[in-house]
Amino acid sequence: MKPLHHATTERDAHSLTPQEELVTGSEILLRGLLQEGVECVFGYPGGNVLYIYDAMVGNPDFKHILTRHEQGAIHAADGYARSTGKVGVCLATSGPGATNLVTGIATAYMDSVPLVIITGNVPTTVMGTDAFQEADIVSITMPITKHSYLVRRVEDLPQIIHEAFYIANTGRKGPVLIDIPKDVSNQQMRYRQAPELDIRGYRGAPEPDTDQIERLLQVIQQSERPVILAGGGVVYSNASEELIEFVHRTQIPVATTLLGLGGFPSADPLFMGLAGMHGAYTANTAIQNADLIISIGSRFDDRVTMALNGFAPKAKTIAHLDIDPAEIGKNVKTDIACVGDIKSLLTYANQHAESARSAAWLAEVQQNKADYPLRYKDTEDELKPQFVIEMMHETTHGEAIVTTDVGQHQMWVGQFYRFNRPRSLLTSGGLGTMGFGFPSAIGAQVGNPDRLVISVNGDGGMQMCAQEMAICAIHNIPVKIVVINNQVLGMVKQWQEIIHEQRFSHIDLAGSPDFVKLAEAYGLKGLRARTKAEARRAWQEALDTPGPVLVEFIVPKHENVFPMVLSGTALDQMLLGDFE
């Protein structure tokens, strides 16, 4: 019997032109992905995607990496997308395979990451009968996708693939789902490329509202205490250079959100640091005393604004530049609304921008940076996690791609690793997904084979996707895996200690594996450090090793992240820890 992925007989092949060739839905899918420039698909097979996986056999142009869990697949695709600016792609079967993607889809949706998620489904003939491994994944994920397709006819597949990539990567970017029933993946049609796009009702990035930009520029010229809050939109629109020019022309200091880190270089004198719950004193204080707030690609997230009734109380004007009109005025009342692609908005603004009246303000900001730097109580007796992050920065000169999981280590990276360029920090900001850090680093390394990729994890999050170390070993993906091991769920412990009066509940991670032995079991080099000297030696050995390495840093349980703004309080009501 001829293999299923060869849909024509030898005689048919000679009688048909390439545009008339009979192919299956599975082959159309693979060809469509290649035509969209997909470099790698991360996936996990199962019964209802077997035709798709069969079509991969003997296709040298199609690269697929088999993860060890569907969650690993979608986080890897996410890391690939964030680090490259391209659309990430993952593939899973129906039922549990598809539902295992849900957390990763929500992660990408919250952070505006362009993904195309392909799932299999039961044949159309048994849909709705509760067939084996049937799940209505389109309905399940509708609130967390930008758009979804259920492919009922193979003839629709070329157009759907083309549309999905366009929708995912235009306007406010996000995940798009394509659900393909098993019989559709094996149906035949005469091959044709997708026609030109004509998506009724869909609008990509609107043209820049130049009238609103002109209004903003006039306000800037009169402002004495302006602040720019730069978010992930700067990174996603590739507008870092335009932002730098705008800042220097207007002489306005910059604070960033977590996802905005790297969008403005940390070494620039006008950079104030991270804003928000664990933001720098200078950044938070400047926002609270500013007469003008300019949000650029930031959605005024609650972890940035903290108590809304106490946010930026002295601001006479709040301006918001964003590609998504739904975000403007959603959380914070906006006086000047500039809708459009950030790169386009700033390009126009830079043609006319002039300096604010900010000389005295900048001197005050610089004095605050000198008086209230990010700091911690260092000691030779313990290995502090902040020291580890500082060491990473110093040895890599801020040039690595750093992925994080979620928790205290995530905040320490945001505070103490000073990023030089965009798409260098990959972290789950909106959803706060534990398990994201390590597999996203795999995707980042696949997309950036010539850059150093470091995955920083807590001992909690590392155990959620540790099985993906198999991929690093098999494919020699040289991610440097860092485990900041404090033996507890650190951020939960910090909240219980400070907010719940030290009533600690279910945070002890005793019984965790020996991470070094676990790495070695997967075929990776494993190293451990308990002191500063050991940390320096182990980290340098990791950097000098060509392949993947896991380094476990044993740090104290009691260390907390400061500054900290408690929920329900204003940005300037910061706890400074040992430096109160």
Side-chain angles (χ1 to χ4, degrees), residues 331-376:
N331 295 326
V332 173
K333 184 179 180 297
T334 301
D335 302 294
I336 300 175
C338 305
V339 179
D341 174 68
I342 299 299
K343 190 180 186 76
S344 299
L345 291 171
L346 291 179
T347 297
Y348 179 83
N350 284 334
Q351 299 173 19
H352 310 280
E354 296 181 15
S355 177
R357 301 176 180 178
S358 56
W361 175 240
L362 293 181
E364 182 180 333
V365 165
Q366 294 302 330
Q367 190 61 53
N368 275 340
K369 286 174 69 174
D371 292 344
Y372 299 97
L374 286 168
R375 50 189 171 174
Y376 59 98

Side-chain angles (χ1 to χ4, degrees), residues 117-228:
I117 302 106
I118 301 158
T119 54
N121 212 326
V122 299
T124 56
T125 52
V126 295
M127 279 184 137
T129 67
D130 294 329
F132 178 66
Q133 291 194 332
E134 179 182 5
D136 184 357
I137 195 63
V138 170
S139 296
I140 290 169
T141 61
M142 193 168 290
I144 54 171
T145 51
K146 191 175 178 186
H147 193 65
S148 298
Y149 295 92
L150 172 59
V151 188
R152 293 187 176 273
R153 302 187 323 136
V154 70
E155 291 82 6
D156 298 331
L157 193 52
Q159 178 76 7
I160 286 173
I161 296 166
H162 198 29
E163 288 184 6
F165 277 82
Y166 180 74
I167 292 171
N169 209 29
T170 55
R172 181 174 180 174
K173 304 175 192 295
V176 176
L177 177 77
I178 304 176
D179 193 34
I180 307 175
K182 186 173 184 178
D183 54 335
V184 174
S185 70
N186 195 42
Q187 288 173 3
Q188 292 183 337
M189 64 172 280
R190 295 191 184 277
Y191 176 74
R192 67 174 190 275
Q193 290 189 353
E196 291 298 314
L197 282 168
D198 182 19
I199 308 174
R200 186 175 64 181
Y202 179 72
R203 183 182 178 206
E207 289 297 314
D209 190 337
T210 55
D211 290 342
Q212 293 294 305
I213 289 290
E214 293 287 355
R215 279 188 62 203
L216 174 59
L217 295 179
Q218 291 174 9
V219 173
I220 287 173
Q221 292 178 36
Q222 302 303 315
S223 174
E224 296 180 350
R225 301 187 310 279
V227 166
I228 288 173

Side-chain angles (χ1 to χ4, degrees), residues 5 52 54 201 256 361 364 369 373 428 450 467 473 501 505:
H5 59 280
I52 297 172
D54 185 68
T256 73
W361 175 240
E364 182 180 333
K369 286 174 69 174
S428 174
D450 297 326
Q467 70 279 351
E501 299 175 336
S505 177

